[in-house]
Amino acid sequence: MNPHEIDLVTASAQRLAPVLPDVAHTFYSRLFALYPDLRDAFPAQMEAQEKKFGDSVAAIVAAIPDFPAFAETSERLARVHVAHRVTASQYAALGPVLVDALAAHDPAWDAATRDAWAQAYDLLAESMQLSARP
């Protein structure tokens, strides 16, 4: 990611911080609507999961400008996702759902912000998958 993309993601994340619980709810609602087979992989009560989602988004955004911190964060998240047997196709499917959920709650969303978040997600997903390799 280039510095401008990092700035766009950071600014968007600041706007989204107060509504991250709503973003999480939107994300999981859309995820389960599009991929109902994934619902069984999550707890019946989603409040704690939605909090983890918000905490993870905040941690990732904070780490993006600092590659060692980003690598550490993505490795930590990879371990969790390996335990849940997340596949490469699931990583690919989740990106657009995440970007759409973010877009739904960011009042200043535009095409450049969408592209920056998509780039951030792709970087994270790739890093997590590489960290998960034996």
Side-chain angles (χ1 to χ4, degrees), residues 19-106:
V19 295
L20 272 178
D22 297 330
V23 174
H25 184 77
T26 299
F27 170 75
Y28 287 112
S29 293
R30 291 180 181 186
L31 180 67
F32 300 150
L34 290 169
Y35 305 99
D37 55 310
L38 293 179
R39 182 63 184 95
D40 290 340
F42 292 88
Q45 299 299 317
M46 290 293 293
E47 292 81 12
Q49 183 66 35
E50 289 174 354
K51 169 122 176 50
K52 288 179 194 175
F53 170 94
D55 292 346
S56 294
V57 169
I60 292 161
V61 170
I64 285 175
D66 177 2
F67 186 77
F70 177 80
E72 182 180 317
T73 300
S74 67
E75 186 176 328
R76 179 179 48 81
L77 289 171
R79 285 192 300 271
V80 172
H81 288 78
V82 165
H84 293 288
R85 296 187 171 97
V86 176
T87 65
S89 63
Q90 289 169 333
Y91 277 107
L94 295 178
V97 177
L98 173 63
V99 171
D100 286 346
L102 296 164
H105 295 278
D106 183 345

